[in-house]
Amino acid sequence: MKYSLLFFVLLFSLKVVSVFGQQNAILHKDQEIKDSLRAITYPYVMPLLGNKVQYMGHELPLPFGVMFNYVHQATRLEITSLKVGIGELGPAEMDFVEFAPVQNSASVFNFRADTWLLPFLNVYGIYARSQGNANIDISFPLVLHIKTTPEVETFGGGLVLAYGKDKYFGAFNLNLSSSNTSALDEPVFGRVISLRLGRLFPLSNGKDKFSFSIGAQNQFVERRTAGSITIEECFASLDPEKLQDLKDEIASDAQNWYDGLTIVQKRVVDALVDYMGDWLDGKDVGSIPINYDFEKEVLGNWSLQLGAQYMSGKNLWYRVEGGFGKGRTQLLLSVNYRFGIKRNSR
């Protein structure tokens, strides 16, 4: 990873030199812009101290924005500390159940509204809806593939601390959210922090700009998950031969995993086996819920973020960003419309 990052930075630096070699002309034009900014009064109600910062020669973005984002993320995680109950039975600790790493993906559409409260501080709120897709594979004591597609509604907010000098910039982002998921009993808390560094490239028309950024992102989601899944969802891929093998193991006089279970565990396992048989026999048990409670461990919380943004004038910004980390990949597509509300001149 160290050498890959060094190669990227070197390649990026060579690209800057070859395309933007007219540094003296660009800096001279920037000085002209600074002089013109000092000559006018900052017209918008936000941010606070906007007029003082503009007089110092800084060109501020329009203070208000609405953003539409599409995010696709794939994550690998492991399930631990599983408890299962059905009806009045349980919950029972199912520490003998073995899982393959869970493949989880989500496609998220979110709306974000923001304002620059101070020249270096942006605050925002987010509303999002998403469709999840989790593939859970049980490998013992029964081979079973469970596919869930929960719907998720998220409310959140956050802040951005940003600073720029000449054509270089840095931004720190903190996002807090609460998500209501159709398959879970309680909202899930999430936290994302990220740091990005980048460079801005003014284009030849003097109005549009292009930027590249590189950074790191850390995601945290609550470990504990509790909810329910119906028998129909849980046993959709059940193989009758595998169920019979499980029954034979339980009935065997030889010492096996079942003999070491507690009374509560055996009752839950027996009930699940009976419902599996009823389901395969076509009996109307599909809507009966199976309650679960487990902890999940993400394989990696950090990711490398690479992004590019095209700013069409001051109003329309387009962004694409990719995230790459252990057990996680991410793609972001974004459209941001910015505007200002002017002060009352009277």
Side-chain angles (χ1 to χ4, degrees):
M1 174 61 73
K2 178 175 69 174
Y3 295 109
S4 299
L5 182 58
L6 180 62
F7 174 76
F8 174 82
V9 173
L10 178 60
L11 181 62
F12 181 74
S13 301
L14 292 174
K15 196 69 175 175
V16 170
V17 173
S18 63
V19 178
F20 299 94
Q22 304 293 331
Q23 285 297 318
N24 291 335
I26 293 175
L27 291 174
H28 178 67
K29 186 175 182 180
D30 284 349
Q31 187 60 49
E32 291 179 352
I33 293 175
K34 291 179 181 180
D35 292 340
S36 66
L37 290 172
R38 293 189 178 101
I40 60 176
T41 301
Y42 185 71
Y44 302 113
V45 296
M46 300 297 287
L48 303 176
L49 306 178
N51 193 53
K52 291 184 178 180
V53 172
Q54 179 176 278
Y55 184 78
M56 294 168 61
H58 295 283
E59 185 177 11
L60 299 175
L62 291 173
F64 299 99
V66 291
M67 183 186 299
F68 297 92
N69 299 314
Y70 167 77
V71 181
H72 180 80
Q73 179 165 296
T75 308
R76 287 166 57 87
L77 51 89
E78 294 181 347
I79 292 177
T80 60
S81 305
L82 174 66
K83 295 180 181 179
V84 173
I86 185 166
E88 296 181 356
L89 295 176
E93 186 79 35
M94 295 293 182
D95 51 359
F96 56 91
V97 177
E98 297 178 4
F99 294 89
V102 177
Q103 305 287 337
N104 181 61
S105 64
S107 296
V108 184
F109 293 90
N110 73 46
F111 168 80
R112 166 175 158 171
D114 74 273
T115 183
W116 286 96
L117 187 62
L118 294 167
F120 56 87
L121 174 62
N122 181 280
V123 294
Y124 61 86
I126 284 181
Y127 171 76
R129 292 192 67 89
S130 62
Q131 181 76 53
N133 185 2
N135 295 310
I136 302 172
D137 291 303
I138 298 175
S139 57
F140 181 83
L142 179 69
V143 176
L144 189 63
H145 176 77
I146 304 173
K147 183 176 182 180
T148 62
T149 56
E151 295 184 353
V152 183
E153 185 177 43
T154 301
F155 297 89
L159 59 86
V160 177
L161 295 173
Y163 179 76
K165 182 174 178 59
D166 296 328
K167 296 176 181 63
Y168 296 91
F169 63 88
F172 169 81
N173 177 55
L174 169 65
N175 175 270
L176 304 176
S177 65
S178 177
S179 299
N180 297 306
T181 305
S182 59
L184 304 182
D185 294 336
E186 298 179 358
V188 176
F189 170 77
R191 187 264 298 143
V192 177
I193 59 173
S194 62
L195 176 65
R196 293 172 177 82
L197 303 174
R199 192 188 194 283
L200 190 67
F201 303 109
L203 301 184
S204 58
N205 62 12
K207 296 181 180 180
D208 301 343
K209 299 179 179 68
F210 198 82
S211 69
F212 290 101
S213 65
I214 182 171
Q217 183 182 93
N218 177 277
Q219 293 188 16
F220 168 81
V221 179
E222 281 184 301
R223 290 173 56 92
R224 181 178 176 272
T225 297
S228 63
I229 184 172
T230 65
I231 287 178
E232 180 179 14
E233 293 173 309
C234 189
F235 300 146
S237 66
L238 181 62
D239 185 340
E241 293 185 3
K242 298 296 183 182
L243 176 58
Q244 188 58 49
D245 291 341
L246 179 62
K247 289 182 176 180
D248 292 341
E249 278 191 32
I250 292 174
S252 174
D253 292 333
Q255 185 74 20
N256 59 44
W257 60 270
Y258 182 80
D259 298 324
L261 302 183
T262 65
I263 294 176
V264 176
Q265 287 175 323
K266 288 181 178 180
R267 287 176 178 174
V268 173
V269 170
D270 292 343
L272 288 172
V273 170
D274 290 341
Y275 278 122
M276 290 181 199
D278 291 342
W279 166 252
L280 290 176
D281 292 339
K283 295 181 180 180
D284 186 19
V285 296
S287 61
I288 295 176
I290 300 173
N291 303 312
Y292 58 81
D293 188 319
F294 63 85
E295 291 188 358
K296 54 186 179 293
E297 184 174 343
V298 180
L299 297 185
N301 294 316
W302 287 93
S303 61
L304 173 70
Q305 303 294 124
L306 302 175
Q309 181 166 267
Y310 172 65
M311 287 155 277
S312 179
K314 292 187 175 184
N315 298 104
L316 274 175
W317 298 358
Y318 305 92
R319 182 171 183 80
V320 59
E321 183 171 285
F324 314 92
K326 182 180 180 182
R328 173 182 291 127
T329 58
Q330 183 186 79
L331 173 66
L332 164 72
L333 301 175
S334 174
V335 178
N336 185 356
Y337 176 74
R338 306 213 61 81
F339 61 95
I341 299 176
K342 292 189 175 182
R343 303 173 187 272
N344 189 338
S345 58
R346 291 180 296 176

